[in-house]
Amino acid sequence: MDNATRSERSRNAALEAAIAIIARDGPGRLTLDAIARESGLSKGGVMHQFRTKEAVLKALLERQMAHFEEFSTRYMAKVSATSANPNLATQLATIREAATSPNSAALALVAAMVENPSLMALPRELETKRMTAIKEEAADPDLAMLRWAGALGLLLSSLFGMSPLSKDEHQRLFARLLDDGQWTGLEQPATKRVAKSGAASAAKAATPRKRA
C-alpha cells in the first residue's frame, strides 16, 4: 500500500470515528484522544491528519456537505425535465435523505454549531444560493419557502429528539411536501399577493377610526 492510500485510509478512519463519537457521546466528548481510541490509530497518526479538533470538524462538515451535494446533483438530473420546481424538489429530497441517513450531515452541523459557530458560514453560503434558485423558479416564492422550512423543521425536530412523529409519519409528510400537486391550488403569484395587500391597505384606510 502506497503512502497516499495509507494516509487516505487513516483520514477516513479518523472521520468515521469522529462521527461515531458525536452520535454516541455528543460533540462535547470529541477530542483527538477519543478519535485515536475509537479509530485504533495512534494519537500521532490522528494529529498527522488533523492538528486540532476544529480541523476535524471542518473536514467532517465538508465531507458530509460533499456527500449530499452529490446526492442533490443526481436528484436534480432526474427531476429537471419533469418538475415545475426542480430546485425545490431537489432540496426537499436532500433534506429527507439527511433525515433518514444514520451518519447524516446533521450530526456534523450540530457539532459545528456547538463547538465553533463560525464553521456554519460554509453551509449557510450554500443554502443562500439554493434559496435564491428556489425563489427564482417558483410561481409563489413564499409558498416554496414554507415547504422548504417545513422539511427543515422535520429534520431538526427529529435530530434533537423533539419529534413525536413515527418514521412512517415523517415519510408521509415529506412525500406531501414533495408533491407539487398538493400545493398548486394554494399558490398566489406575486401580482395577486400585491393586489390583495393593496386592497387590504385601502380598506383599512377607508375604515373610520373610533374616537377615544
Side-chain angles (χ1 to χ4, degrees):
M1 184 187 302
D2 58 44
N3 289 337
T5 301
R6 187 180 298 108
S7 179
E8 184 66 19
R9 286 193 176 184
S10 295
R11 180 181 177 84
N12 287 334
L15 291 177
E16 290 296 331
I19 202 85
I21 293 165
I22 293 168
R24 185 184 64 238
D25 305 323
R29 295 296 183 89
L30 184 67
T31 65
L32 297 183
D33 285 322
I35 292 172
R37 288 193 299 270
E38 185 78 23
S39 66
L41 299 171
S42 66
K43 175 77 173 290
V46 173
M47 293 191 69
H48 179 72
Q49 300 295 330
F50 305 104
R51 300 297 298 176
T52 65
K53 176 180 176 178
E54 181 180 278
V56 175
L57 289 172
K58 186 172 184 291
L60 183 60
L61 187 58
E62 288 173 341
R63 189 178 78 157
Q64 297 296 78
M65 286 172 62
H67 168 74
F68 284 100
E69 186 64 22
E70 182 181 344
F71 175 89
S72 295
T73 300
R74 292 197 309 269
Y75 196 91
M76 174 68 85
K78 184 172 69 173
V79 301
S80 58
T82 58
S83 174
N85 302 284
N87 285 286
L88 176 60
T90 296
Q91 292 317 305
L92 294 178
T94 303
I95 293 172
R96 179 178 63 182
E97 177 70 10
T100 56
S101 296
N103 291 339
S104 77
L107 291 172
L109 289 172
V110 170
M113 284 189 288
V114 170
E115 296 298 320
N116 189 345
S118 67
L119 290 175
M120 294 306 294
L122 293 168
R124 189 181 300 117
E125 181 179 349
L126 187 57
E127 283 302 311
T128 298
K129 292 178 181 178
R130 289 170 173 167
M131 185 54 63
T132 298
I134 288 172
K135 290 177 182 177
E136 288 177 349
E137 73 183 6
D140 185 342
D142 287 351
L143 186 61
M145 286 189 290
L146 283 171
R147 290 168 67 184
W148 171 83
L152 195 61
L154 287 172
L155 168 62
L156 294 177
S157 65
S158 177
L159 174 66
F160 290 111
M162 298 185 300
S163 177
L165 303 175
S166 67
K167 289 183 179 180
D168 287 343
E169 287 171 320
H170 264 260
Q171 290 302 305
R172 188 167 68 248
L173 292 176
F174 270 117
R176 289 196 67 178
L177 287 169
L178 273 161
D179 184 1
D180 285 338
Q182 299 271 347
W183 306 92
T184 303
L186 299 177
E187 288 179 347
Q188 295 184 10
T191 52
K192 186 175 181 180
R193 292 199 304 275
V194 169
K196 277 190 174 182
S197 177
S201 298
K204 184 176 180 180
T207 301
R209 295 184 179 179
K210 292 183 180 179
R211 295 184 178 179

